[in-house]
């Protein structure tokens, strides 16, 4: 897991508009990441914590099945990634 303590991590699903503005942000927790991480087979981290991962439209349905509260808005490009909650 790259030596990262997931208890100090948070995650965002971010929808970017055509002006490269983050116009739709959804917070995710560790349990939710565990439900979807296998949808990203090219990752080199266990918890999507060390890089930003593109979320192609082909994954939207599977992600919503795993995390029902997720919403994807038309016209946005989505990415998911982790960040430190505290130091």
């Amino acid at each position: 897991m790259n030596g990262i303590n997931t208890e100090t991590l948070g995650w965002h699903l971010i929808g970017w508009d055509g002006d490269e503005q983050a116009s739709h942000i959804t917070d995710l927790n560790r349990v939710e990441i565990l439900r979807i991480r296998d949808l990203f087979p090219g990752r080199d981290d266990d918890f999507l914590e060390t890089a930003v991962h593109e979320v192609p439209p082909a994954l939207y349905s599977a992600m919503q099945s795993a995390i029902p509260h997720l919403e994807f808005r038309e016209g946005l490009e989505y990415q998911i990634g982790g960040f430190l909650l505290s130091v």
Side-chain angles (χ1 to χ4, degrees), residues 17-47:
D17 66 19
D19 294 327
E20 298 184 13
Q21 299 293 313
S23 63
H24 182 221
I25 301 172
T26 304
D27 293 327
L28 300 171
N29 62 42
R30 183 180 185 276
V31 172
E32 292 168 330
I33 291 299
L34 288 173
R35 291 181 191 158
I36 63 169
R37 68 181 179 180
D38 291 337
L39 297 174
F40 299 88
R43 73 184 193 287
D44 58 0
D45 51 4
D46 289 330
F47 292 93

Side-chain angles (χ1 to χ4, degrees), residues 6-74:
T6 60
E7 299 302 318
T8 62
L9 287 177
W11 293 266
H12 287 316
L13 174 67
I14 302 174
W16 299 93
D17 66 19
D19 294 327
E20 298 184 13
Q21 299 293 313
S23 63
H24 182 221
I25 301 172
T26 304
D27 293 327
L28 300 171
N29 62 42
R30 183 180 185 276
V31 172
E32 292 168 330
I33 291 299
L34 288 173
R35 291 181 191 158
I36 63 169
R37 68 181 179 180
D38 291 337
L39 297 174
F40 299 88
R43 73 184 193 287
D44 58 0
D45 51 4
D46 289 330
F47 292 93
L48 305 173
E49 78 271 11
T50 61
V52 173
H53 301 273
E54 301 280 333
V55 180
L59 289 182
Y60 293 179
S61 179
M63 289 180 68
Q64 287 174 312
S65 291
I67 307 171
H69 73 86
L70 288 184
E71 177 186 343
F72 294 94
R73 297 182 183 167
E74 191 171 330

